[in-house]
Amino acid sequence: ANLSVSSLFSTLMYCGEPEGLMEQEAQYLSLLGNVSSYRVEGDRLVLTDAEGTDLLFFVQAEEVPAAPLTGTEWTLESYRLSEDAVSSVIAGTTVTAGFAPDGNVAGSAGCNRYFAAYEVSGETMTIGPAGSTKMYCGEPEGTMEQEARYLTLLESVAGYRIDGDRLDLLDGAGKPLLSFRADQP
């Protein structure tokens, strides 16, 4: 069956660990751009170029059951910097969110503890202004800026989506503002 991949875009994060990861990513994206067909063999997907050379092999992932919004400790993985830029969380900082059934969300914003009220109706979500403790963290560099951005984005949330162990808090257009991963119990 025919398949073409065009207009490849990716986030602009840099990952120094493990060694060779950026080279692997560049090779993967290059191969993906040359795909012209695919075939499925059992639980394997094979992507092929125009000459029939097998380029990429995928194995079907085990389905991860959806984590519940409440009662799950969510750890931030990435956040929106601007309309078309996403940043990973600064190494050495941990940003978390815990949604309680009573309508309160609380966690660490990377330096300070924060708390806010939230409301959910269907797939819409609103989060009220957050209160927080007032510590200053100079290390790692950028922690306070990241924290300020996080707390601002929380107030912009208009919806949410859970896919397995991933939680995306969305803007009014349904685009991710904040992307979390469920902590494994």
Side-chain angles (χ1 to χ4, degrees):
N2 290 340
L3 172 72
S4 69
V5 178
S6 60
S7 302
L8 277 168
F9 295 100
S10 72
T11 55
L12 301 176
M13 297 188 289
Y14 176 80
C15 303
E17 297 288 323
E19 196 177 321
L21 188 61
M22 298 310 293
E23 293 79 5
Q24 175 182 288
E25 178 178 279
Q27 180 69 16
Y28 171 73
L29 293 173
S30 169
L31 290 171
L32 200 55
N34 291 324
V35 168
S36 67
S37 66
Y38 74 92
R39 68 180 186 277
V40 176
E41 300 170 344
D43 67 349
R44 285 168 45 107
L45 169 68
V46 183
L47 303 184
T48 307
D49 68 12
E51 287 75 49
T53 305
D54 294 344
L55 300 177
L56 295 164
F57 305 84
F58 297 86
V59 176
Q60 189 170 355
E62 224 175 278
E63 200 167 321
V64 179
L69 177 66
T70 59
T72 300
E73 183 73 12
W74 299 98
T75 300
L76 188 68
E77 291 195 325
S78 62
Y79 61 97
R80 190 187 302 169
L81 272 181
S82 65
E83 198 52 47
D84 50 6
V86 172
S87 175
S88 54
V89 175
I90 296 170
T93 66
T94 303
V95 180
T96 61
F99 294 86
D102 67 2
N104 288 300
V105 58
S108 169
C111 175
N112 288 283
R113 302 284 308 161
Y114 73 92
F115 42 89
Y118 78 95
E119 274 185 42
V120 167
S121 175
E123 294 192 349
T124 65
M125 175 188 283
T126 54
I127 299 177
S132 69
T133 54
K134 303 285 181 223
M135 295 188 306
Y136 176 80
C137 299
E139 297 291 321
E141 192 180 328
T143 298
M144 298 313 294
E145 293 80 1
Q146 172 180 274
E147 181 167 293
R149 180 75 183 148
Y150 174 73
L151 294 173
T152 299
L153 288 172
L154 273 183
E155 289 184 44
S156 305
V157 169
Y160 76 102
R161 177 177 55 235
I162 295 176
D163 183 8
D165 64 352
R166 185 182 176 89
L167 166 66
D168 288 323
L169 298 185
L170 312 170
D171 65 14
K175 293 168 107 176
L177 294 170
L178 299 160
S179 294
F180 297 83
R181 185 82 55 193
D183 282 357
Q184 299 307 322

